[in-house]
C-alpha cells in the first residue's frame, strides 16, 4: 500500500477500486447462484442468497454512483477527483456496513424472526489482526533503502522502531483475563471495528510518512562526482506525525473497548484508564510535533519527529507491557 500511494493518482485508484469491487460482487453472485457445495450448510447458503439483492443495490448506490460522479467532476487540470463525492461515498459505504451488520436475518424454530449478527466475530478478529500484522510489516519497506549516507541509515532504523512499537502496542499490551470487545456486545463490536478502520488507515500512512522523509534528497558535487544526502525538510515529517498520533489514539480507544478484569485476576500494576492516558498523551504529543513545524529542528539532516514519534510509540508500549506483565521471564532453579 505504501508503494501504491506513490505510484498512482487518486482517479486511477478509484477506477481500480471499482473494478475490484465489481469483480468481488460478480464472484459472490456466481457463488450463490451455483449449486450448493457439500461443505456449506444449507441455512447459511440460503442466507447468502437472500443477501444478494441488497448487496448489489448497496454497491451501485453507495459506491458506483458517487465514485463515478467523483471521476466525472474531477479537476481537469490536475486529474484529481471531486472530494465531496468521494467523502459521500465513504459515508454511504460506512452506513451500509452498519445497517448490514445490524440486519435481522434467519428464523427460529417457531418460525419467527431472531436477531442474527451478519458477521462472524471469531473470523473477523483473526482477519483484522492478520491485516494489522501485514500493514505493520509494510512499514519495514520504508526502511529498505540501501545507502552509504549515515543519516538515511538512522532514518531507516527509526522506521524499524516504528514497526516494532506498533506491533507491541497492538499485540502485547492486553491485560490477563480481559474480555475483548468482540464478545461483549454489538455496540462494542461496532466501536472496535471503527477503531480498526482508523488503524488500517494510520499504519500504512506511517510507512508513507517515513518514505516521504527518506525521499528528501540533496545532491551536491564533490570532486566531480554527485553525492546524495538527506535534506532536512521539516514539512516532510508532517504525515509521519499525523499518522503516528492517529495510530496511538485509535489503538488506545480500541484497547479501552475491552473489559478489564479485576486487579486480582489481571495483575496489572496500573489500571486501564491510566494506560490509555499514557498512550493518548503520546499520540497528542505526536500531533503537536506537526503543529510546531519549524520549531522542532533537525537531528543532523533528518527532521527530529522522524526519531521522536517512533520513540514515543516504543515508550508507550514498554510502559504498558510493564504495567500488564504481558512479557515475563521465568528463571529455572
Amino acid at each position: 500500500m505504501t508503494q501504491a500511494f506513490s505510484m498512482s493518482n487518486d482517479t486511477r485508484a478509484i477506477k481500480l477500486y471499482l473494478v475490484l469491487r465489481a469483480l468481488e460482487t460478480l464472484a459472490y453472485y456466481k457463488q450463490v447462484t451455483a449449486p450448493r457445495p457439500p461443505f456449506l450448510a444449507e441455512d447459511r447458503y440460503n442466507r447468502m442468497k437472500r443477501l444478494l439483492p441488497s448487496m448489489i443495490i448497496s454497491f451501485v448506490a453507495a459506491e458506483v454512483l458517487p465514485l463515478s460522479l467523483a471521476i466525472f467532476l474531477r479537476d481537469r487540470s490536475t486529474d484529481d477527483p471531486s472530494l465531496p463525492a468521494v467523502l459521500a461515498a465513504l459515508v454511504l459505504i460506512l452506513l451500509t456496513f452498519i445497517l448490514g451488520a445490524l440486519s435481522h436475518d434467519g428464523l427460529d424454530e417457531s418460525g419467527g424472526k431472531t436477531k442474527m449478527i451478519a458477521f462472524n466475530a471469531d473470523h473477523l478478529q483473526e482477519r483484522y489482526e492478520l491485516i494489522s500484522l501485514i500493514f505493520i510489516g509494510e512499514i519495514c519497506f520504508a526502511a529498505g533503502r540501501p545507502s552509504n549516507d549515515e543519516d538515511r541509515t538512522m532514518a531507516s532504523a527509526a522506521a524499524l522502531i516504528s514497526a516494532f512499537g506498533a506491533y507491541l502496542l497492538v499485540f502485547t499490551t492486553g491485560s490477563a483475563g480481559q474480555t475483548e470487545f468482540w464478545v461483549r456486545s454489538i455496540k462494542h463490536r461496532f466501536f472496535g471495528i471503527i477503531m480498526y478502520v482508523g488503524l488500517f488507515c494510520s499504519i500504512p500512512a506511517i510507512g508513507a510518512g517515513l518514505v516521504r522523509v527518506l525521499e528528501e534528497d540533496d545532491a551536491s558535487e564533490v570532486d566531480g562526482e554527485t553525492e546524495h544526502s538527506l535534506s532536512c525538510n521539516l514539512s516532510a515529517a508532517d504525515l509521519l506525525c499525523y499518522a503516528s498520533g492517529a495510530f496511538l489514539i485509535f489503538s488506545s480507544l480500541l484497547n479501552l473497548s475491552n473489559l478489564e478484569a479485576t486487579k486480582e485476576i489481571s495483575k496489572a500494576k496500573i489500571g486501564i484508564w491510566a494506560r490509555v492516558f499514557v498512550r493518548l498523551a503520546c499520540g497528542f504529543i505526536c500531533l503537536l510535533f506537526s503543529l510546531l513545524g519549524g520549531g522542532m529542528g533537525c537531528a543532523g539532516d533528518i527532521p527530529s519527529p522522524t526519531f521522536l514519534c517512533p520513540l514515543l510509540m516504543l515508550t508507550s508500549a514498554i510502559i504498558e507491557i510493564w504495567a500488564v506483565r504481558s512479557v515475563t521471564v521465568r528463571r529455572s532453579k
Side-chain angles (χ1 to χ4, degrees):
M1 288 189 67
T2 301
Q3 298 300 322
F5 280 127
S6 60
M7 293 174 62
S8 176
N9 61 34
D10 293 335
T11 301
R12 179 183 294 179
I14 290 176
K15 292 178 181 178
L16 293 175
Y17 170 81
L18 288 175
V19 171
L20 178 63
R21 287 287 293 119
L23 292 174
E24 183 181 9
T25 305
L26 179 62
Y28 188 88
Y29 169 80
K30 294 291 292 182
Q31 183 180 12
V32 298
T33 54
R36 180 178 65 85
F39 60 83
L40 188 61
E42 186 175 358
D43 59 339
R44 182 175 179 82
Y45 177 73
N46 292 332
R47 290 199 301 270
M48 290 173 64
K49 292 183 67 173
R50 290 198 295 269
L51 285 174
L52 181 61
S54 61
M55 175 179 288
I56 295 175
I57 293 173
S58 63
F59 170 58
V60 173
E63 300 178 63
V64 174
L65 292 180
L67 291 178
S68 298
L69 186 64
I71 297 173
F72 180 76
L73 298 177
R74 68 185 184 276
D75 188 332
R76 304 294 176 177
S77 59
T78 62
D79 202 34
D80 290 334
S82 172
L83 183 58
V86 174
L87 294 177
L90 292 175
V91 172
L92 289 172
I93 291 171
L94 183 60
L95 287 176
T96 55
F97 169 77
I98 294 174
L99 293 175
L102 285 175
S103 64
H104 289 64
D105 191 14
L107 297 173
D108 58 21
E109 294 180 356
S110 62
K113 285 190 174 182
T114 181
K115 192 172 184 180
M116 181 175 296
I117 301 171
F119 54 80
N120 187 310
D122 293 335
H123 175 78
L124 273 188
Q125 179 180 5
E126 178 190 358
R127 291 297 182 266
Y128 275 42
E129 291 176 353
L130 179 60
I131 293 173
S132 300
L133 185 61
I134 293 172
F135 282 178
I136 291 172
E138 289 279 347
I139 299 177
C140 298
F141 283 100
R145 290 178 175 269
S147 174
N148 294 326
D149 184 6
E150 181 179 350
D151 290 327
R152 187 171 272 114
T153 301
M154 296 300 295
S156 296
L160 294 177
I161 293 174
S162 294
F164 186 56
Y167 171 81
L168 293 177
L169 287 170
V170 173
F171 294 103
T172 66
T173 55
S175 60
Q178 73 175 10
T179 303
E180 296 189 352
F181 69 88
W182 294 103
V183 296
R184 291 189 66 183
S185 66
I186 291 180
K187 66 178 182 180
H188 286 98
R189 288 171 187 161
F190 277 137
F191 180 80
I193 288 174
I194 298 303
M195 294 303 102
Y196 259 117
V197 172
L199 291 186
F200 294 161
C201 294
S202 60
I203 295 175
I206 292 175
L210 289 163
V211 168
R212 185 177 178 186
V213 171
L214 289 166
E215 285 180 345
E216 290 295 322
D217 190 70
D218 185 16
S220 59
E221 291 286 340
V222 178
D223 296 332
E225 295 183 357
T226 302
E227 292 189 357
H228 296 271
S229 60
L230 281 178
S231 174
C232 184
N233 183 1
L234 290 171
S235 63
D238 285 348
L239 178 58
L240 175 62
C241 296
Y242 291 135
S244 300
F247 169 79
L248 288 165
I249 292 171
F250 280 119
S251 62
S252 64
L253 296 176
L254 182 66
N255 198 25
L256 187 61
S257 63
N258 299 322
L259 179 63
E260 183 92 336
T262 61
K263 193 171 183 179
E264 292 75 18
I265 297 176
S266 66
K267 305 294 183 182
K269 296 183 179 181
I270 57 177
I272 188 171
W273 282 102
R275 304 198 304 272
V276 167
F277 175 80
V278 170
R279 200 184 302 194
L280 282 175
C282 292
F284 283 112
I285 291 174
C286 289
L287 294 178
L288 181 62
F289 290 159
S290 63
L291 298 178
L292 293 176
M296 290 301 301
C298 297
D301 290 327
I302 306 174
S304 297
T306 307
F307 298 108
L308 296 177
C309 289
L311 288 177
L312 282 172
M313 294 171 62
L314 186 61
T315 300
S316 176
I318 292 173
I319 292 174
E320 293 191 45
I321 289 172
W322 165 81
V324 302
R325 304 181 182 184
S326 60
V327 177
T328 59
V329 177
R330 294 185 179 181
R331 296 181 179 178
S332 59
K333 296 182 179 180

